[in-house]
Amino acid sequence: MLGRLKPWILRVTVATALPRTKLRALPVAVQPAPRRAAPRSQAPGSLKCFLGVFKMEMAEVTGMSMKRGSQAVEDNDSVTSAEEAKRQKVSECSLTKGQDRAENDCPPSGGHVPGLPRAVSVEENQQNADAQVEEEEEGEEDGLSEDGEEEEETESFADMMKHGLTELDVGITKFVSSHQGFSGILKERYSDFVVHEIGKDGQISHLDDLSVPVDEEDPSEDVFTVLTAEEKQRLEELQLFKNKETSVAIEVIEDTKEKRTVIHQAIKSLFPGLETKTEDREGKKYIVAYHAAGKKALAKVRTAADPRKHSWPKSRGSYCHFVLYKENKDTMDAINVLSKYLRVKPNIFSYMGTKDKRAITVQEIAVLKITAQRLAHLNKCLMNFKLGNFSYQKNPLKLGELQGNHFTVVLRNITGTNDQVQQAMNSLKEIGFINYYGMQRFGTTAVPTYQVGRAILQNSWTEVMDLILKPRSGAEKGYLVKCREEWAKTKDPAAALRKLPVKRCVEGQLLRGLSKYGMKNIVSAFGIIPRNNRLMYIHSYQSYVWNNMVSKRIEEYGLRPVPGDLVLKGATATYIEEGDVNSYSIHDVVMPLPGFDVIYPKHKISEAYREMLMADNLDIDNMRHKIRDYSLSGAYRKIIIRPQNVSWEVVAYDDPKIPLFNTDVDNLEGKPPPVFASEGKYRALKMDFSLPPSTYATMAIREVLKMDTSIKNQTQLNTTWLR
């Protein structure tokens, strides 16, 4: 089994849920989810508990409790809510990660939001800005810095999160099923949440073959071991122009033609951009590495994804496709790790969708002109990763090409009876769940991302700047708090930027833009932020509107199609007429995300859209923005999703640490599947289901357990942040 990282635990559970064994986590107060639309008052009822955060041993993993009338601590795919809470303490910035990376991939996102390390993406119009800060970013490792680590928090985590969002705040108010909810623990181990990508051919991706395609043109395995660590270090510094050397000479100790050939191949394959030649020096043979065309050649290799065309066989497809199995890493972090080990730029990788961190995930990746041999060698170097199922193909992968994801989820320590579980799962299988955008779409601090999106659409650029940079309540890294305080005091972007040891977050990028373009050109300053990340804000606003409108639609008309509803015929939305109502089901009904290229329902909800946007000083009839990037064309989204391939079983177990199913790596290693006793201390619900792209698995789990998934409600009462 792959090694486990040392995660932090952020987990809730009612006091009676766990036996009095080794301390694993402390409980947290929770509140029931509303069963129907209600005013913005807080739902009654709570359990006085505590939230514990601990660094655990390698075998330990984080968990959360999903209790009847309680709140889920974590969400999936973009980094879950609990993980977000942890990241507020240890990451470089302030808001949730990959908000659009919904549990079943939101392909257009790939993005970064305030509070997190820079996403792996091709950053448009960023070359000049990137060049300016490349030097200052060299020392930043994975978005973390030693600065500010010693700071102590004076507020409890509950105090910091009390300004966060609830489901009610973002329009998530309804359930479709009538069964009674029950308790369960989601992600007690991150291996309790497994995601397998469903490819464009409809097949579920599995890692089941570690062999490397035979290719006579591949160099021998010796290329990975022939160079010493010191030689690799010198070659890397030469490749990246980090020293004054113009060449690096490597003595051939055992001088044979074969040995020299291996060294030539090793340098050229491991350090793209370097050329080699053989020289005689004082009777000894040396392999001399050098730059053939100076920094221009390196720039081409690093940014244009054009590694050594002459060394790639013409008969071989340019892209090596492989299946990536990863544990406790999101897709973009994983790409960063792979590119670092391969010494290439991240933008030579492509994929169909991004996957969550707090899970085990399996997906297809493509990389330009990197051999399967080199990729397979990483299996010897990396923990929590496995690469396999290699093939060479002509084309890369494209975002959105996937058909969805298949989920295997374990809810541990469930309290529901077998009848309750049966009712809940039958409802999920037959009816489905409301296709809400999940909580991670909207951020976790006192400044929701949809507010920034609304200000962009209003063309209120001073407000955009203020929302991103102003001080706010909530859990944030100490140096980011100081940066905000400096900004509030001086409005000097350079002075505020100096407070940030990590400058790749959105706040740092915006401050850098303000330093470059000045306070009177906020639009250009904001444009320094990568495009996908900027669009994340307005997509968040669209999602906010959509959630609210869907709740109104279900409250007004229930779970049946009515005249004036919208359905899709191909890609075109049409109205349901009076005589056609019986030809459709609620699963056919779609509702629009606001934009200039959509139509709205022909019933009360149309006016509700208009009123909501009017209250936000927006004109529903004019969603074009004077800056083209921020013009919203709109889209349609099904209001009810019925998962496919739904299956489940309730199993008994005694040890909370044991895995309850085999992963792909377990199967590769020949591990037998777990055997369950007929009775045990605990019961777990193991669920399997498939979802289409851009849907949230936590919204499906919310429907099963009847619970609120906001982090605010998880931590409101008597919670304590423990170092």
Side-chain angles (χ1 to χ4, degrees):
M1 189 62 181
L2 296 182
R4 305 286 191 197
L5 295 178
K6 289 188 177 180
W8 288 71
I9 273 201
L10 179 53
R11 158 161 164 228
V12 295
T13 177
V14 295
T16 59
L18 291 179
R20 291 181 173 273
T21 55
K22 176 183 175 182
L23 181 62
R24 293 171 59 83
L26 297 178
V28 63
V30 290
Q31 292 181 329
R35 285 188 175 274
R36 55 188 298 173
R40 287 179 176 264
S41 59
Q42 187 168 293
S46 66
L47 298 169
K48 289 196 173 184
C49 327
F50 293 91
L51 173 69
V53 180
F54 298 95
K55 278 191 174 178
M56 308 303 286
E57 295 300 324
M58 294 289 276
E60 292 288 346
V61 293
T62 72
M64 60 159 281
S65 179
M66 296 178 128
K67 292 297 165 188
R68 171 76 183 111
S70 74
Q71 323 308 326
V73 172
E74 297 192 357
D75 249 335
N76 183 43
D77 278 343
S78 2
V79 178
T80 60
S81 299
E83 192 68 20
E84 293 303 342
K86 180 264 291 184
R87 276 187 178 268
Q88 303 300 340
K89 306 292 287 186
V90 302
S91 80
E92 62 186 9
C93 302
S94 64
L95 291 185
T96 57
K97 180 175 185 177
Q99 301 166 30
D100 207 10
R101 211 168 330 127
E103 310 191 333
N104 207 10
D105 305 309
C106 203
S109 71
H112 167 92
V113 285
L116 291 170
R118 182 175 57 193
V120 178
S121 61
V122 181
E123 300 183 358
E124 300 163 20
N125 301 320
Q126 282 296 103
Q127 293 180 352
N128 291 337
D130 287 346
Q132 293 174 6
V133 295
E134 189 169 346
E135 291 301 321
E136 67 187 23
E137 292 183 351
E138 283 295 334
E140 297 176 15
E141 183 86 9
D142 296 324
L144 298 176
S145 168
E146 294 179 1
D147 295 348
E149 291 292 338
E150 73 288 347
E151 296 185 19
E152 295 186 5
E153 302 296 339
T154 57
E155 289 185 290
S156 72
F157 187 69
D159 289 335
M160 291 188 287
M161 292 311 302
K162 67 186 178 184
H163 305 284
L165 298 173
T166 66
E167 287 188 347
L168 190 63
D169 294 328
V170 295
I172 302 174
T173 61
K174 299 294 181 183
F175 295 96
V176 300
S177 54
S178 58
H179 72 273
Q180 182 180 352
F182 54 91
S183 303
I185 303 173
L186 174 64
K187 296 188 182 181
E188 183 167 10
R189 302 171 61 86
Y190 65 72
S191 55
D192 285 347
F193 204 107
V194 177
V195 186
H196 287 88
E197 188 171 73
I198 302 174
K200 51 188 175 183
D201 59 357
Q203 297 298 307
I204 297 176
S205 293
H206 282 281
L207 181 76
D208 52 21
D209 183 4
L210 300 181
S211 64
V212 176
V214 177
D215 192 327
E216 294 181 357
E217 303 211 34
D218 279 340
S220 73
E221 282 287 323
D222 293 339
V223 299
F224 301 110
T225 57
V226 69
L227 299 173
T228 67
E230 181 184 355
E231 289 166 345
K232 288 179 180 178
Q233 179 69 27
R234 291 178 61 205
L235 287 165
E236 182 174 6
E237 291 175 353
L238 174 68
Q239 181 197 34
L240 302 179
F241 293 94
K242 287 188 174 180
N243 57 28
K244 296 181 180 180
E245 288 186 274
T246 57
S247 65
V248 169
I250 296 172
E251 183 181 355
V252 185
I253 303 298
E254 300 171 6
D255 182 23
T256 64
K257 183 177 181 181
E258 290 75 15
K259 181 69 175 289
R260 294 197 302 272
T261 299
V262 169
I263 296 175
H264 283 293
Q265 289 176 336
I267 295 172
K268 291 177 180 179
S269 61
L270 298 179
F271 301 94
L274 296 184
E275 294 289 350
T276 59
K277 61 185 178 181
T278 303
E279 288 186 359
D280 282 310
R281 298 183 181 179
E282 299 178 355
K284 296 180 181 180
K285 283 281 198 295
Y286 287 85
I287 305 298
V288 180
Y290 62 97
H291 280 287
K295 291 192 177 184
K296 289 184 179 179
L298 176 64
K300 191 175 185 184
V301 170
R302 296 184 69 189
T303 60
D306 187 22
R308 305 192 56 77
K309 287 183 179 179
H310 64 275
S311 65
W312 193 263
K314 293 181 179 179
S315 59
R316 180 197 286 168
S318 295
Y319 294 87
C320 184
H321 287 232
F322 61 96
V323 169
L324 172 65
Y325 170 104
K326 61 181 181 63
E327 297 184 0
N328 210 32
K329 279 275 186 188
D330 70 34
T331 299
M332 291 177 289
D333 286 342
I335 295 297
N336 272 331
V337 171
L338 297 180
S339 61
K340 179 179 178 181
Y341 274 82
L342 293 168
R343 299 182 179 88
V344 296
K345 275 289 185 178
N347 62 2
I348 73 171
F349 290 87
S350 58
Y351 43 86
M352 294 182 287
T354 54
K355 300 290 183 288
D356 182 27
K357 173 179 178 177
R358 283 288 309 152
I360 291 174
T361 69
V362 181
Q363 69 181 116
E364 188 176 353
I365 305 286
V367 60
L368 176 63
K369 293 184 178 178
I370 299 292
T371 66
Q373 186 185 34
R374 285 186 68 189
L375 293 167
H377 185 70
L378 296 179
N379 287 332
K380 302 175 183 178
C381 311
L382 299 175
M383 297 178 66
N384 298 81
F385 292 91
K386 279 288 184 186
L387 288 66
N389 296 79
F390 301 103
S391 65
Y392 293 107
Q393 299 184 33
K394 293 181 179 179
N395 299 310
L397 297 170
K398 295 181 181 178
L399 284 170
E401 284 184 328
L402 77 170
Q403 289 194 17
N405 288 299
H406 184 79
F407 295 86
T408 302
V409 178
V410 169
L411 302 176
R412 291 181 183 252
N413 199 18
I414 61 170
T415 61
T417 66
N418 287 341
D419 284 344
Q420 284 178 298
V421 172
Q422 189 78 8
Q423 290 174 18
M425 294 306 298
N426 278 331
S427 175
L428 183 68
K429 182 177 182 178
E430 295 167 10
I431 302 175
F433 62 97
I434 304 173
N435 194 20
Y436 285 126
Y437 288 96
M439 294 303 297
Q440 65 267 45
R441 181 82 157 180
F442 305 103
T444 59
T445 71
V447 181
T449 51
Y450 72 79
Q451 290 184 7
V452 180
R454 179 170 55 201
I456 293 170
L457 295 174
Q458 293 169 342
N459 215 32
S460 302
W461 291 102
T462 300
E463 184 181 359
V464 170
M465 176 180 68
D466 187 49
L467 285 169
I468 294 175
L469 297 178
K470 72 179 182 180
R472 77 272 309 271
S473 301
E476 287 199 310
K477 197 71 177 168
Y479 55 72
L480 192 55
V481 172
K482 291 180 179 178
C483 169
R484 297 189 190 285
E485 290 172 348
E486 181 68 28
W487 171 255
K489 182 172 64 176
T490 66
K491 289 295 189 289
D492 181 345
L497 192 61
R498 284 193 292 271
K499 299 290 184 180
L500 283 180
V502 176
K503 298 175 174 59
R504 283 183 272 187
C505 56
V506 164
E507 291 84 353
Q509 291 168 327
L510 178 56
L511 288 168
R512 187 156 46 80
L514 292 170
S515 297
K516 179 177 181 180
Y517 294 106
M519 299 285 286
K520 294 184 178 180
N521 195 351
I522 300 172
V523 174
S524 295
F526 185 70
I528 272 192
I529 299 169
R531 181 175 182 271
N532 279 349
N533 304 342
R534 288 180 275 125
L535 297 185
M536 195 84 73
Y537 290 115
I538 57 176
H539 293 160
S540 176
Y541 178 74
Q542 285 181 301
S543 305
Y544 167 71
V545 173
W546 194 90
N547 278 1
N548 279 276
M549 293 300 99
V550 167
S551 292
K552 286 183 180 293
R553 159 64 181 77
I554 291 174
E555 181 177 6
E556 189 70 32
Y557 300 111
L559 297 178
R560 58 187 177 86
V562 297
D565 272 337
L566 293 169
V567 293
L568 290 178
K569 292 186 176 179
T572 305
T574 61
Y575 294 107
I576 296 180
E577 303 296 340
E578 187 77 44
D580 298 330
V581 168
N582 293 331
S583 301
Y584 299 100
S585 77
I586 191 64
H587 300 99
D588 299 313
V589 176
V590 299
M591 286 183 60
L593 284 86
F596 60 78
D597 199 26
V598 295
I599 58 176
Y600 296 88
K602 282 184 177 178
H603 47 53
K604 292 181 181 179
I605 305 306
S606 178
E607 189 58 30
Y609 270 98
R610 185 175 297 275
E611 289 173 357
M612 186 171 184
L613 268 69
M614 189 180 300
D616 288 337
N617 295 316
L618 295 171
D619 182 359
I620 199 170
D621 299 316
N622 182 20
M623 298 301 289
R624 293 187 185 273
H625 198 281
K626 67 178 185 179
I627 300 173
R628 186 177 178 182
D629 268 357
Y630 310 135
S631 291
L632 293 178
S633 61
Y636 299 99
R637 180 176 174 91
K638 286 192 173 183
I639 67 173
I640 302 292
I641 291 293
R642 183 162 48 194
Q644 301 299 305
N645 307 313
V646 178
S647 64
W648 68 92
E649 64 175 326
V650 176
V651 299
Y653 66 102
D654 291 317
D655 185 353
K657 295 181 182 180
I658 64 167
L660 299 183
F661 59 89
N662 274 6
T663 66
D664 285 358
V665 168
D666 291 332
N667 293 332
L668 279 170
E669 294 175 351
K671 291 186 178 179
V675 177
F676 303 110
S678 57
E679 294 184 0
K681 292 181 183 178
Y682 313 104
R683 294 159 64 244
L685 171 59
K686 178 176 173 288
M687 310 162 56
D688 279 271
F689 55 90
S690 299
L691 294 177
S694 301
T695 55
Y696 287 69
T698 44
M699 293 294 100
I701 296 166
R702 168 188 183 268
E703 188 70 42
V704 170
L705 297 180
K706 290 291 185 71
M707 44 158 293
D708 185 310
T709 58
S710 68
I711 192 171
K712 175 179 178 177
N713 284 344
Q714 299 151 22
T715 56
Q716 273 187 333
L717 300 174
N718 298 332
T719 61
T720 304
W721 184 275
L722 300 178
R723 290 281 182 180

